[in-house]
Amino acid sequence: VIVLDGCDAMEDSPALSLYSEEVYRQTRARLAPGSILAVQGMEVCALDYPDYKGHLELREMLQRLFPIVRSYMTFVPSFWTEWGFLTASDSLDPTTLSRDLLATRLRERGLAPVQDLGATLDFYDADAHVRMFTLPKNVKAALARLLPIEDIPA
């Protein structure tokens, strides 16, 4: 797994170069077979960014480099808004993982007790995973401008 958690791609920011296709091409070359990239994908709050421009541009670039790209989102308390993220992989699709498989993996890795997934982790469990990848209609509509709607997980 490679996790890229940079600041937003804002004009005139030194971080803007981190959002170049070349950076992601180099990152992809460093991924082991069967692994996944997770990327901070900008704010997806319709009040502040109704066109989701930053998220869509990053997703479009990742789609040129990886066959499987998925958007997900969650509320980030320190930003007090929904934030977008992306995964990219040659073979892994996090939207295909069942709740049972997720719960089993958490138990096997010692991250959750058998009876209560919420006892160890403050946020993440199988339900949270499914919720993050279940996008609201407005975000799915924006993503549909990039790819056929059937390729957007429900």
mmCIF file of all heavy atoms in Angstrom, residues 15-64:
data_model
loop_
_atom_site.group_PDB
_atom_site.id
_atom_site.type_symbol
_atom_site.label_atom_id
_atom_site.label_comp_id
_atom_site.label_asym_id
_atom_site.label_seq_id
_atom_site.Cartn_x
_atom_site.Cartn_y
_atom_site.Cartn_z
ATOM 1 N N ALA A 15 2.910 22.587 -3.578
ATOM 2 C CA ALA A 15 2.414 21.211 -3.598
ATOM 3 C C ALA A 15 1.777 20.838 -4.927
ATOM 4 O O ALA A 15 1.525 19.658 -5.176
ATOM 5 C CB ALA A 15 1.408 21.007 -2.473
ATOM 6 N N LEU A 16 1.518 21.802 -5.784
ATOM 7 C CA LEU A 16 0.850 21.533 -7.051
ATOM 8 C C LEU A 16 1.608 20.490 -7.881
ATOM 9 O O LEU A 16 1.001 19.653 -8.544
ATOM 10 C CB LEU A 16 0.676 22.827 -7.844
ATOM 11 C CG LEU A 16 -0.269 22.777 -9.034
ATOM 12 C CD1 LEU A 16 -1.666 22.319 -8.607
ATOM 13 C CD2 LEU A 16 -0.337 24.130 -9.698
ATOM 14 N N SER A 17 2.928 20.502 -7.818
ATOM 15 C CA SER A 17 3.718 19.536 -8.595
ATOM 16 C C SER A 17 3.488 18.098 -8.131
ATOM 17 O O SER A 17 3.730 17.155 -8.871
ATOM 18 C CB SER A 17 5.201 19.882 -8.526
ATOM 19 O OG SER A 17 5.663 19.774 -7.192
ATOM 20 N N LEU A 18 3.002 17.911 -6.892
ATOM 21 C CA LEU A 18 2.706 16.569 -6.400
ATOM 22 C C LEU A 18 1.499 15.957 -7.104
ATOM 23 O O LEU A 18 1.235 14.772 -6.973
ATOM 24 C CB LEU A 18 2.458 16.600 -4.893
ATOM 25 C CG LEU A 18 3.646 17.019 -4.039
ATOM 26 C CD1 LEU A 18 3.227 17.135 -2.579
ATOM 27 C CD2 LEU A 18 4.796 16.043 -4.205
ATOM 28 N N TYR A 19 0.762 16.770 -7.831
ATOM 29 C CA TYR A 19 -0.415 16.291 -8.544
ATOM 30 C C TYR A 19 -0.157 16.132 -10.041
ATOM 31 O O TYR A 19 -1.087 16.077 -10.833
ATOM 32 C CB TYR A 19 -1.609 17.223 -8.288
ATOM 33 C CG TYR A 19 -2.097 17.091 -6.872
ATOM 34 C CD1 TYR A 19 -1.595 17.887 -5.862
ATOM 35 C CD2 TYR A 19 -3.028 16.122 -6.542
ATOM 36 C CE1 TYR A 19 -2.019 17.737 -4.549
ATOM 37 C CE2 TYR A 19 -3.467 15.958 -5.237
ATOM 38 C CZ TYR A 19 -2.958 16.779 -4.248
ATOM 39 O OH TYR A 19 -3.374 16.616 -2.953
ATOM 40 N N SER A 20 1.103 16.025 -10.426
ATOM 41 C CA SER A 20 1.431 15.829 -11.837
ATOM 42 C C SER A 20 1.297 14.355 -12.204
ATOM 43 O O SER A 20 1.452 13.465 -11.369
ATOM 44 C CB SER A 20 2.863 16.302 -12.126
ATOM 45 O OG SER A 20 3.790 15.416 -11.530
ATOM 46 N N GLU A 21 1.020 14.112 -13.453
ATOM 47 C CA GLU A 21 0.907 12.729 -13.915
ATOM 48 C C GLU A 21 2.223 11.988 -13.734
ATOM 49 O O GLU A 21 2.231 10.794 -13.429
ATOM 50 C CB GLU A 21 0.460 12.700 -15.384
ATOM 51 C CG GLU A 21 0.079 11.315 -15.840
ATOM 52 C CD GLU A 21 -0.723 11.311 -17.123
ATOM 53 O OE1 GLU A 21 -1.536 12.227 -17.347
ATOM 54 O OE2 GLU A 21 -0.531 10.360 -17.903
ATOM 55 N N GLU A 22 3.336 12.676 -13.870
ATOM 56 C CA GLU A 22 4.639 12.039 -13.703
ATOM 57 C C GLU A 22 4.829 11.506 -12.280
ATOM 58 O O GLU A 22 5.357 10.413 -12.083
ATOM 59 C CB GLU A 22 5.770 13.007 -14.062
ATOM 60 C CG GLU A 22 7.151 12.392 -13.984
ATOM 61 C CD GLU A 22 7.332 11.116 -14.816
ATOM 62 O OE1 GLU A 22 6.664 10.966 -15.864
ATOM 63 O OE2 GLU A 22 8.157 10.272 -14.415
ATOM 64 N N VAL A 23 4.397 12.259 -11.279
ATOM 65 C CA VAL A 23 4.509 11.792 -9.887
ATOM 66 C C VAL A 23 3.709 10.499 -9.712
ATOM 67 O O VAL A 23 4.179 9.533 -9.104
ATOM 68 C CB VAL A 23 4.038 12.873 -8.900
ATOM 69 C CG1 VAL A 23 3.811 12.293 -7.504
ATOM 70 C CG2 VAL A 23 5.041 14.007 -8.845
ATOM 71 N N TYR A 24 2.515 10.456 -10.259
ATOM 72 C CA TYR A 24 1.686 9.264 -10.115
ATOM 73 C C TYR A 24 2.205 8.111 -10.969
ATOM 74 O O TYR A 24 2.051 6.948 -10.601
ATOM 75 C CB TYR A 24 0.212 9.587 -10.399
ATOM 76 C CG TYR A 24 -0.367 10.355 -9.248
ATOM 77 C CD1 TYR A 24 -0.398 11.748 -9.254
ATOM 78 C CD2 TYR A 24 -0.830 9.699 -8.122
ATOM 79 C CE1 TYR A 24 -0.888 12.456 -8.171
ATOM 80 C CE2 TYR A 24 -1.318 10.400 -7.039
ATOM 81 C CZ TYR A 24 -1.350 11.778 -7.065
ATOM 82 O OH TYR A 24 -1.824 12.472 -6.000
ATOM 83 N N ARG A 25 2.823 8.421 -12.077
ATOM 84 C CA ARG A 25 3.449 7.373 -12.896
ATOM 85 C C ARG A 25 4.607 6.738 -12.111
ATOM 86 O O ARG A 25 4.756 5.510 -12.069
ATOM 87 C CB ARG A 25 3.936 7.966 -14.214
ATOM 88 C CG ARG A 25 4.322 6.944 -15.264
ATOM 89 C CD ARG A 25 4.768 7.594 -16.573
ATOM 90 N NE ARG A 25 3.887 8.628 -17.076
ATOM 91 C CZ ARG A 25 2.731 8.428 -17.706
ATOM 92 N NH1 ARG A 25 2.320 7.203 -17.905
ATOM 93 N NH2 ARG A 25 2.001 9.426 -18.130
ATOM 94 N N GLN A 26 5.416 7.566 -11.459
ATOM 95 C CA GLN A 26 6.529 7.058 -10.644
ATOM 96 C C GLN A 26 6.015 6.281 -9.427
ATOM 97 O O GLN A 26 6.584 5.248 -9.057
ATOM 98 C CB GLN A 26 7.426 8.206 -10.201
ATOM 99 C CG GLN A 26 8.215 8.828 -11.324
ATOM 100 C CD GLN A 26 9.015 10.042 -10.874
ATOM 101 O OE1 GLN A 26 9.215 10.274 -9.693
ATOM 102 N NE2 GLN A 26 9.474 10.821 -11.838
ATOM 103 N N THR A 27 4.957 6.765 -8.828
ATOM 104 C CA THR A 27 4.363 6.063 -7.682
ATOM 105 C C THR A 27 3.858 4.696 -8.120
ATOM 106 O O THR A 27 4.087 3.687 -7.443
ATOM 107 C CB THR A 27 3.212 6.900 -7.081
ATOM 108 O OG1 THR A 27 3.729 8.174 -6.684
ATOM 109 C CG2 THR A 27 2.596 6.207 -5.882
ATOM 110 N N ARG A 28 3.197 4.651 -9.257
ATOM 111 C CA ARG A 28 2.676 3.380 -9.778
ATOM 112 C C ARG A 28 3.805 2.379 -9.997
ATOM 113 O O ARG A 28 3.661 1.193 -9.699
ATOM 114 C CB ARG A 28 1.936 3.622 -11.094
ATOM 115 C CG ARG A 28 1.296 2.378 -11.668
ATOM 116 C CD ARG A 28 0.545 2.739 -12.959
ATOM 117 N NE ARG A 28 -0.370 1.702 -13.327
ATOM 118 C CZ ARG A 28 -0.077 0.716 -14.178
ATOM 119 N NH1 ARG A 28 1.112 0.655 -14.732
ATOM 120 N NH2 ARG A 28 -0.973 -0.194 -14.453
ATOM 121 N N ALA A 29 4.933 2.852 -10.485
ATOM 122 C CA ALA A 29 6.077 1.969 -10.740
ATOM 123 C C ALA A 29 6.613 1.355 -9.451
ATOM 124 O O ALA A 29 7.235 0.298 -9.475
ATOM 125 C CB ALA A 29 7.180 2.742 -11.457
ATOM 126 N N ARG A 30 6.363 2.002 -8.316
ATOM 127 C CA ARG A 30 6.857 1.508 -7.034
ATOM 128 C C ARG A 30 5.871 0.597 -6.306
ATOM 129 O O ARG A 30 6.211 0.000 -5.302
ATOM 130 C CB ARG A 30 7.248 2.680 -6.144
ATOM 131 C CG ARG A 30 8.557 3.295 -6.614
ATOM 132 C CD ARG A 30 8.778 4.682 -6.066
ATOM 133 N NE ARG A 30 10.053 5.259 -6.487
ATOM 134 C CZ ARG A 30 10.321 5.717 -7.697
ATOM 135 N NH1 ARG A 30 9.426 5.658 -8.644
ATOM 136 N NH2 ARG A 30 11.500 6.232 -7.991
ATOM 137 N N LEU A 31 4.652 0.504 -6.818
ATOM 138 C CA LEU A 31 3.668 -0.393 -6.217
ATOM 139 C C LEU A 31 4.012 -1.840 -6.534
ATOM 140 O O LEU A 31 4.325 -2.175 -7.680
ATOM 141 C CB LEU A 31 2.264 -0.106 -6.762
ATOM 142 C CG LEU A 31 1.497 1.048 -6.157
ATOM 143 C CD1 LEU A 31 0.226 1.306 -6.966
ATOM 144 C CD2 LEU A 31 1.151 0.790 -4.704
ATOM 145 N N ALA A 32 3.959 -2.684 -5.535
ATOM 146 C CA ALA A 32 4.158 -4.116 -5.753
ATOM 147 C C ALA A 32 2.930 -4.682 -6.467
ATOM 148 O O ALA A 32 1.828 -4.135 -6.342
ATOM 149 C CB ALA A 32 4.363 -4.824 -4.421
ATOM 150 N N PRO A 33 3.098 -5.766 -7.209
ATOM 151 C CA PRO A 33 1.931 -6.389 -7.842
ATOM 152 C C PRO A 33 0.881 -6.731 -6.776
ATOM 153 O O PRO A 33 1.212 -7.181 -5.686
ATOM 154 C CB PRO A 33 2.504 -7.660 -8.478
ATOM 155 C CG PRO A 33 3.956 -7.349 -8.684
ATOM 156 C CD PRO A 33 4.348 -6.454 -7.535
ATOM 157 N N GLY A 34 -0.382 -6.459 -7.100
ATOM 158 C CA GLY A 34 -1.464 -6.772 -6.177
ATOM 159 C C GLY A 34 -1.645 -5.765 -5.061
ATOM 160 O O GLY A 34 -2.359 -6.028 -4.096
ATOM 161 N N SER A 35 -1.020 -4.605 -5.179
ATOM 162 C CA SER A 35 -1.157 -3.600 -4.121
ATOM 163 C C SER A 35 -2.030 -2.442 -4.597
ATOM 164 O O SER A 35 -2.554 -2.451 -5.705
ATOM 165 C CB SER A 35 0.218 -3.125 -3.653
ATOM 166 O OG SER A 35 0.957 -2.598 -4.719
ATOM 167 N N ILE A 36 -2.159 -1.439 -3.738
ATOM 168 C CA ILE A 36 -3.115 -0.365 -3.992
ATOM 169 C C ILE A 36 -2.540 0.974 -3.550
ATOM 170 O O ILE A 36 -1.738 1.043 -2.625
ATOM 171 C CB ILE A 36 -4.449 -0.669 -3.281
ATOM 172 C CG1 ILE A 36 -5.593 0.205 -3.809
ATOM 173 C CG2 ILE A 36 -4.299 -0.592 -1.765
ATOM 174 C CD1 ILE A 36 -6.971 -0.299 -3.402
ATOM 175 N N LEU A 37 -2.959 2.014 -4.229
ATOM 176 C CA LEU A 37 -2.605 3.390 -3.897
ATOM 177 C C LEU A 37 -3.836 4.064 -3.314
ATOM 178 O O LEU A 37 -4.932 3.941 -3.868
ATOM 179 C CB LEU A 37 -2.156 4.123 -5.167
ATOM 180 C CG LEU A 37 -1.974 5.638 -5.092
ATOM 181 C CD1 LEU A 37 -0.806 5.997 -4.169
ATOM 182 C CD2 LEU A 37 -1.734 6.197 -6.491
ATOM 183 N N ALA A 38 -3.678 4.766 -2.206
ATOM 184 C CA ALA A 38 -4.760 5.560 -1.612
ATOM 185 C C ALA A 38 -4.301 7.009 -1.591
ATOM 186 O O ALA A 38 -3.179 7.308 -1.182
ATOM 187 C CB ALA A 38 -5.074 5.075 -0.203
ATOM 188 N N VAL A 39 -5.169 7.895 -2.067
ATOM 189 C CA VAL A 39 -4.789 9.296 -2.263
ATOM 190 C C VAL A 39 -5.837 10.224 -1.655
ATOM 191 O O VAL A 39 -7.040 10.018 -1.853
ATOM 192 C CB VAL A 39 -4.670 9.620 -3.770
ATOM 193 C CG1 VAL A 39 -4.230 11.055 -3.992
ATOM 194 C CG2 VAL A 39 -3.738 8.661 -4.468
ATOM 195 N N GLN A 40 -5.383 11.254 -0.958
ATOM 196 C CA GLN A 40 -6.270 12.330 -0.522
ATOM 197 C C GLN A 40 -6.760 13.004 -1.786
ATOM 198 O O GLN A 40 -5.976 13.401 -2.631
ATOM 199 C CB GLN A 40 -5.478 13.298 0.371
ATOM 200 C CG GLN A 40 -6.282 14.411 1.004
ATOM 201 C CD GLN A 40 -6.445 15.635 0.134
ATOM 202 O OE1 GLN A 40 -7.551 15.945 -0.280
ATOM 203 N NE2 GLN A 40 -5.376 16.354 -0.154
ATOM 204 N N GLY A 41 -8.081 13.109 -1.941
ATOM 205 C CA GLY A 41 -8.642 13.548 -3.210
ATOM 206 C C GLY A 41 -9.460 14.823 -3.146
ATOM 207 O O GLY A 41 -10.447 14.958 -3.857
ATOM 208 N N MET A 42 -9.101 15.734 -2.298
ATOM 209 C CA MET A 42 -9.720 17.052 -2.221
ATOM 210 C C MET A 42 -11.125 17.010 -1.617
ATOM 211 O O MET A 42 -11.750 15.978 -1.506
ATOM 212 C CB MET A 42 -9.804 17.724 -3.589
ATOM 213 C CG MET A 42 -8.618 18.590 -3.994
ATOM 214 S SD MET A 42 -7.028 17.845 -4.009
ATOM 215 C CE MET A 42 -6.853 17.326 -5.684
ATOM 216 N N GLU A 43 -11.574 18.192 -1.288
ATOM 217 C CA GLU A 43 -12.881 18.350 -0.667
ATOM 218 C C GLU A 43 -13.981 18.015 -1.670
ATOM 219 O O GLU A 43 -13.895 18.349 -2.844
ATOM 220 C CB GLU A 43 -13.015 19.805 -0.201
ATOM 221 C CG GLU A 43 -14.225 20.075 0.626
ATOM 222 C CD GLU A 43 -14.230 21.487 1.196
ATOM 223 O OE1 GLU A 43 -13.240 22.220 1.056
ATOM 224 O OE2 GLU A 43 -15.260 21.843 1.780
ATOM 225 N N VAL A 44 -15.014 17.354 -1.174
ATOM 226 C CA VAL A 44 -16.171 17.042 -2.016
ATOM 227 C C VAL A 44 -17.450 17.603 -1.391
ATOM 228 O O VAL A 44 -18.514 17.016 -1.491
ATOM 229 C CB VAL A 44 -16.315 15.518 -2.272
ATOM 230 C CG1 VAL A 44 -15.231 15.026 -3.192
ATOM 231 C CG2 VAL A 44 -16.352 14.741 -0.971
ATOM 232 N N CYS A 45 -17.319 18.747 -0.785
ATOM 233 C CA CYS A 45 -18.469 19.417 -0.179
ATOM 234 C C CYS A 45 -19.152 20.263 -1.245
ATOM 235 O O CYS A 45 -18.552 21.174 -1.809
ATOM 236 C CB CYS A 45 -18.025 20.296 0.986
ATOM 237 S SG CYS A 45 -19.371 21.267 1.688
ATOM 238 N N ALA A 46 -20.410 19.958 -1.520
ATOM 239 C CA ALA A 46 -21.141 20.664 -2.574
ATOM 240 C C ALA A 46 -21.317 22.149 -2.263
ATOM 241 O O ALA A 46 -21.503 22.958 -3.170
ATOM 242 C CB ALA A 46 -22.497 20.010 -2.793
ATOM 243 N N LEU A 47 -21.246 22.525 -0.997
ATOM 244 C CA LEU A 47 -21.406 23.932 -0.640
ATOM 245 C C LEU A 47 -20.199 24.761 -1.062
ATOM 246 O O LEU A 47 -20.330 25.905 -1.484
ATOM 247 C CB LEU A 47 -21.628 24.081 0.869
ATOM 248 C CG LEU A 47 -22.887 23.415 1.406
ATOM 249 C CD1 LEU A 47 -22.925 23.527 2.928
ATOM 250 C CD2 LEU A 47 -24.133 24.042 0.794
ATOM 251 N N ASP A 48 -19.011 24.192 -0.930
ATOM 252 C CA ASP A 48 -17.787 24.922 -1.246
ATOM 253 C C ASP A 48 -17.264 24.649 -2.656
ATOM 254 O O ASP A 48 -16.700 25.523 -3.299
ATOM 255 C CB ASP A 48 -16.684 24.569 -0.241
ATOM 256 C CG ASP A 48 -17.025 25.002 1.175
ATOM 257 O OD1 ASP A 48 -17.732 26.021 1.322
ATOM 258 O OD2 ASP A 48 -16.595 24.327 2.109
ATOM 259 N N TYR A 49 -17.420 23.428 -3.128
ATOM 260 C CA TYR A 49 -16.885 23.015 -4.426
ATOM 261 C C TYR A 49 -17.949 22.218 -5.180
ATOM 262 O O TYR A 49 -17.850 21.001 -5.324
ATOM 263 C CB TYR A 49 -15.629 22.156 -4.239
ATOM 264 C CG TYR A 49 -14.517 22.887 -3.547
ATOM 265 C CD1 TYR A 49 -14.324 22.778 -2.170
ATOM 266 C CD2 TYR A 49 -13.669 23.713 -4.265
ATOM 267 C CE1 TYR A 49 -13.305 23.466 -1.535
ATOM 268 C CE2 TYR A 49 -12.643 24.405 -3.633
ATOM 269 C CZ TYR A 49 -12.475 24.271 -2.267
ATOM 270 O OH TYR A 49 -11.471 24.946 -1.633
ATOM 271 N N PRO A 50 -18.992 22.887 -5.673
ATOM 272 C CA PRO A 50 -20.108 22.153 -6.290
ATOM 273 C C PRO A 50 -19.739 21.400 -7.555
ATOM 274 O O PRO A 50 -20.450 20.488 -7.948
ATOM 275 C CB PRO A 50 -21.137 23.248 -6.574
ATOM 276 C CG PRO A 50 -20.361 24.520 -6.613
ATOM 277 C CD PRO A 50 -19.196 24.334 -5.683
ATOM 278 N N ASP A 51 -18.626 21.746 -8.172
ATOM 279 C CA ASP A 51 -18.240 21.036 -9.395
ATOM 280 C C ASP A 51 -17.232 19.916 -9.129
ATOM 281 O O ASP A 51 -16.901 19.166 -10.025
ATOM 282 C CB ASP A 51 -17.672 22.006 -10.427
ATOM 283 C CG ASP A 51 -16.407 22.725 -9.946
ATOM 284 O OD1 ASP A 51 -15.990 22.528 -8.782
ATOM 285 O OD2 ASP A 51 -15.842 23.485 -10.746
ATOM 286 N N TYR A 52 -16.728 19.804 -7.901
ATOM 287 C CA TYR A 52 -15.772 18.751 -7.505
ATOM 288 C C TYR A 52 -14.541 18.737 -8.407
ATOM 289 O O TYR A 52 -13.947 17.698 -8.663
ATOM 290 C CB TYR A 52 -16.437 17.370 -7.505
ATOM 291 C CG TYR A 52 -17.743 17.334 -6.777
ATOM 292 C CD1 TYR A 52 -18.936 17.202 -7.468
ATOM 293 C CD2 TYR A 52 -17.788 17.459 -5.393
ATOM 294 C CE1 TYR A 52 -20.154 17.182 -6.800
ATOM 295 C CE2 TYR A 52 -18.999 17.446 -4.718
ATOM 296 C CZ TYR A 52 -20.172 17.310 -5.427
ATOM 297 O OH TYR A 52 -21.371 17.296 -4.768
ATOM 298 N N LYS A 53 -14.166 19.880 -8.912
ATOM 299 C CA LYS A 53 -13.110 20.007 -9.927
ATOM 300 C C LYS A 53 -11.811 19.298 -9.540
ATOM 301 O O LYS A 53 -11.276 18.508 -10.307
ATOM 302 C CB LYS A 53 -12.847 21.490 -10.206
ATOM 303 C CG LYS A 53 -11.841 21.752 -11.315
ATOM 304 C CD LYS A 53 -11.725 23.260 -11.550
ATOM 305 C CE LYS A 53 -10.824 23.587 -12.694
ATOM 306 N NZ LYS A 53 -9.417 23.449 -12.415
ATOM 307 N N GLY A 54 -11.300 19.580 -8.345
ATOM 308 C CA GLY A 54 -10.033 18.972 -7.944
ATOM 309 C C GLY A 54 -10.114 17.459 -7.885
ATOM 310 O O GLY A 54 -9.216 16.756 -8.358
ATOM 311 N N HIS A 55 -11.186 16.948 -7.308
ATOM 312 C CA HIS A 55 -11.361 15.500 -7.199
ATOM 313 C C HIS A 55 -11.484 14.868 -8.583
ATOM 314 O O HIS A 55 -10.844 13.856 -8.875
ATOM 315 C CB HIS A 55 -12.600 15.179 -6.359
ATOM 316 C CG HIS A 55 -12.762 13.726 -6.077
ATOM 317 N ND1 HIS A 55 -12.158 13.111 -5.007
ATOM 318 C CD2 HIS A 55 -13.440 12.760 -6.742
ATOM 319 C CE1 HIS A 55 -12.454 11.832 -5.011
ATOM 320 N NE2 HIS A 55 -13.243 11.585 -6.064
ATOM 321 N N LEU A 56 -12.285 15.483 -9.444
ATOM 322 C CA LEU A 56 -12.496 14.927 -10.777
ATOM 323 C C LEU A 56 -11.223 14.942 -11.616
ATOM 324 O O LEU A 56 -10.937 13.990 -12.346
ATOM 325 C CB LEU A 56 -13.613 15.674 -11.497
ATOM 326 C CG LEU A 56 -15.009 15.506 -10.892
ATOM 327 C CD1 LEU A 56 -16.006 16.395 -11.620
ATOM 328 C CD2 LEU A 56 -15.455 14.058 -10.914
ATOM 329 N N GLU A 57 -10.453 16.012 -11.513
ATOM 330 C CA GLU A 57 -9.200 16.088 -12.277
ATOM 331 C C GLU A 57 -8.216 15.018 -11.816
ATOM 332 O O GLU A 57 -7.555 14.374 -12.638
ATOM 333 C CB GLU A 57 -8.580 17.474 -12.145
ATOM 334 C CG GLU A 57 -9.325 18.534 -12.922
ATOM 335 C CD GLU A 57 -8.786 19.940 -12.691
ATOM 336 O OE1 GLU A 57 -7.922 20.133 -11.802
ATOM 337 O OE2 GLU A 57 -9.240 20.853 -13.406
ATOM 338 N N LEU A 58 -8.118 14.819 -10.509
ATOM 339 C CA LEU A 58 -7.215 13.793 -9.995
ATOM 340 C C LEU A 58 -7.693 12.408 -10.404
ATOM 341 O O LEU A 58 -6.904 11.569 -10.836
ATOM 342 C CB LEU A 58 -7.112 13.909 -8.471
ATOM 343 C CG LEU A 58 -6.204 12.904 -7.770
ATOM 344 C CD1 LEU A 58 -4.788 12.958 -8.326
ATOM 345 C CD2 LEU A 58 -6.203 13.180 -6.264
ATOM 346 N N ARG A 59 -8.985 12.168 -10.314
ATOM 347 C CA ARG A 59 -9.520 10.863 -10.711
ATOM 348 C C ARG A 59 -9.274 10.602 -12.193
ATOM 349 O O ARG A 59 -8.884 9.503 -12.587
ATOM 350 C CB ARG A 59 -11.012 10.773 -10.400
ATOM 351 C CG ARG A 59 -11.547 9.392 -10.759
ATOM 352 C CD ARG A 59 -12.969 9.216 -10.364
ATOM 353 N NE ARG A 59 -13.452 7.960 -10.918
ATOM 354 C CZ ARG A 59 -14.062 7.023 -10.230
ATOM 355 N NH1 ARG A 59 -14.269 7.186 -8.945
ATOM 356 N NH2 ARG A 59 -14.474 5.928 -10.819
ATOM 357 N N GLU A 60 -9.500 11.613 -13.012
ATOM 358 C CA GLU A 60 -9.285 11.456 -14.456
ATOM 359 C C GLU A 60 -7.828 11.087 -14.750
ATOM 360 O O GLU A 60 -7.549 10.217 -15.576
ATOM 361 C CB GLU A 60 -9.679 12.739 -15.166
ATOM 362 C CG GLU A 60 -9.650 12.638 -16.672
ATOM 363 C CD GLU A 60 -10.180 13.900 -17.314
ATOM 364 O OE1 GLU A 60 -9.918 15.013 -16.804
ATOM 365 O OE2 GLU A 60 -10.862 13.762 -18.339
ATOM 366 N N MET A 61 -6.891 11.732 -14.058
ATOM 367 C CA MET A 61 -5.481 11.407 -14.263
ATOM 368 C C MET A 61 -5.182 9.972 -13.822
ATOM 369 O O MET A 61 -4.509 9.219 -14.536
ATOM 370 C CB MET A 61 -4.583 12.380 -13.494
ATOM 371 C CG MET A 61 -3.122 12.034 -13.651
ATOM 372 S SD MET A 61 -1.952 13.026 -12.729
ATOM 373 C CE MET A 61 -2.841 13.710 -11.398
ATOM 374 N N LEU A 62 -5.691 9.575 -12.661
ATOM 375 C CA LEU A 62 -5.449 8.214 -12.183
ATOM 376 C C LEU A 62 -6.054 7.180 -13.123
ATOM 377 O O LEU A 62 -5.479 6.111 -13.331
ATOM 378 C CB LEU A 62 -6.001 8.047 -10.765
ATOM 379 C CG LEU A 62 -5.237 8.787 -9.670
ATOM 380 C CD1 LEU A 62 -5.992 8.721 -8.352
ATOM 381 C CD2 LEU A 62 -3.820 8.260 -9.524
ATOM 382 N N GLN A 63 -7.189 7.499 -13.747
ATOM 383 C CA GLN A 63 -7.813 6.572 -14.688
ATOM 384 C C GLN A 63 -6.964 6.368 -15.942
ATOM 385 O O GLN A 63 -7.097 5.341 -16.603
ATOM 386 C CB GLN A 63 -9.214 7.062 -15.075
ATOM 387 C CG GLN A 63 -10.212 6.877 -13.967
ATOM 388 C CD GLN A 63 -11.562 7.476 -14.302
ATOM 389 O OE1 GLN A 63 -11.658 8.619 -14.729
ATOM 390 N NE2 GLN A 63 -12.611 6.708 -14.101
ATOM 391 N N ARG A 64 -6.121 7.321 -16.249
ATOM 392 C CA ARG A 64 -5.210 7.139 -17.388
ATOM 393 C C ARG A 64 -4.081 6.177 -17.036
ATOM 394 O O ARG A 64 -3.451 5.600 -17.916
ATOM 395 C CB ARG A 64 -4.633 8.478 -17.829
ATOM 396 C CG ARG A 64 -5.629 9.386 -18.510
ATOM 397 C CD ARG A 64 -4.970 10.561 -19.217
ATOM 398 N NE ARG A 64 -4.267 11.463 -18.330
ATOM 399 C CZ ARG A 64 -4.796 12.548 -17.758
ATOM 400 N NH1 ARG A 64 -6.069 12.845 -17.969
ATOM 401 N NH2 ARG A 64 -4.075 13.324 -16.984
#
